[in-house]
Amino acid sequence: MSTKTQEIVKVYGKSKATDHYLSPSRRDAVKVNWEEPFSCMVYRKAIEQTEYRLGNSLEVLDIGSGTGDGISLLTSKLMKESGLNLDDDIDYLGIDICQDMCETARSIHSHRNYVRFLQGDIRQSLPDEAFKLYLSCGVPYSHLTPAELQIALQNIFENIRRHNTRSAVVVDVLGKYSIEWVSKWNLSRWDYRMNFFQSDGEADFTPMSFYSAQELNQLIHEAAAQANCKLSNIEFFDRSVMVGRHTSTGEFTPNLSRYRNLVNSLMDVDCTTDFEQLMFDVQLGEAPAEIIDFFKTFQGWWNQLIREAAILCGETVHGCESTLPTEFQGLTKELKESLDNSQVENIRASIIEPILAKYLHNLEVSTQKGLGVGHTLMALVSVDQS
Ligand SMILES: C[S@@+](CC[C@H](N)C(=O)[O-])C[C@H]1O[C@@H](n2cnc3c(N)ncnc32)[C@H](O)[C@@H]1O
């Protein structure tokens, strides 16, 4: 086993990551109500780009499959609610470098007969089979250096060519310009710590790669060119702009408001949330103009929604008013209507805050442009070699 492989296996060994991935507390309200629906929206788009049609088989290769979150999401209620019931159609193969992860995944998903987990290193080779969807979730590609990622993607594009499929590739990496690590915005690969793991011991630092959309786009095109494969389309998505896991640890920006905890609190009908803490008040670093512009606009709108909720609670928050575009307006009106019809005791925690959370969520999802400003940057690459 190479030193690099040993490092990854050490990070994801049984007592640490596996525990984390199996812990019920990992699925907090943000994950369930914000992150998973967003991922499923991208997966649905991805599946639409393939030659899969209901009743056919959808062959999926899940890269860095861990304990098999990919198969859980693809067959989740969220996908079924949008009309994609893949239970009978899916033929899923998860590949992961860590044997512990594969064993755990096999036991978790033993009730599914269309699921396999294979121990393997995507930097070396891929299973020589046809897949319509090359999935990744939970930023597995960020473990690789950019050069290794290019080779891994080249292998995927070559596989698509060899098997003459119309396929989609979801490339899931860490966003370079997340508010979680402003002090690292000038770096592309640095020692990251997953200290949100639910384990007793200290989490290890491990080198991870971070991307802007521009950098990832270039790398994907180079990989495709090397594989002599023409891309039909490429689209980028930012997931978790305000609520990345490290907004609850403060690991890389100690004075950052604990936004993920605060948003979880908004959705908890038994908790009252500190609106002042929830205001977007982040010292930005140096970044390309489009990144700074994005955050400046986002800040005004995010804070305006909080201000409207605060006013109804008889509070004031700092900063000046800003005008919301029509599609994000309506919070004050909806809150007033809900309050008129309500008999509950703790109006703030049970009505105002969950409605505010809904508006903030809509803002995050609708304004993201796929720049690399979220915890996760997702690329959806469509390739037609059929
Ligand atoms: C953060 S976890 C994500 C797991 C899972 N996809 C999820 O969403 O829960 C990243 C996974 O990538 C795997 N991984 C890292 N480098 C890899 C490589 N070179 N080949 C295959 N798997 C790798 C790790 O072992 C780990 O299970």
Side-chain angles (χ1 to χ4, degrees), residues 31 38 45 87 91 116 125 127 129 163 206 217 224 233 241 252 310 313 370 375 386:
K31 185 163 171 59
F38 190 88
K45 276 178 179 262
D87 278 344
D91 178 1
R116 295 168 289 154
S125 61
E129 296 177 32
H163 291 280
T206 188
N217 187 37
N233 194 33
V241 174
F252 306 109
C313 296
H375 177 91
S386 58

Side-chain angles (χ1 to χ4, degrees), residues 5 8-9 12 17 21 26 31 43 62-70 73 92 95-99 101 118-124 136-141 143-144 148 172 194 197 208:
T5 305
I8 294 170
V9 171
Y12 290 100
Y21 285 101
R26 175 178 172 242
K31 185 163 171 59
Y43 303 161
D62 186 4
I63 303 277
S65 47
T67 52
D69 259 24
L73 283 172
Y92 170 100
I95 180 167
D96 201 286
I97 200 169
C98 180
Q99 187 62 35
M101 286 293 207
L118 178 74
Q119 196 261 327
D121 184 343
I122 54 148
R123 292 169 301 181
Q124 283 161 14
S136 64
C137 46
V139 301
Y141 285 121
H143 283 285
L144 313 190
E148 289 169 338
D172 197 283
M194 289 176 243
F197 281 173
M208 300 285 272

Side-chain angles (χ1 to χ4, degrees), residues 282-301:
V282 182
Q283 194 70 45
L284 299 176
E286 264 190 42
E290 63 173 350
I291 306 287
I292 302 295
D293 289 349
F294 168 83
F295 278 122
K296 288 268 150 72
T297 308
F298 185 84
Q299 172 179 32
W301 296 345

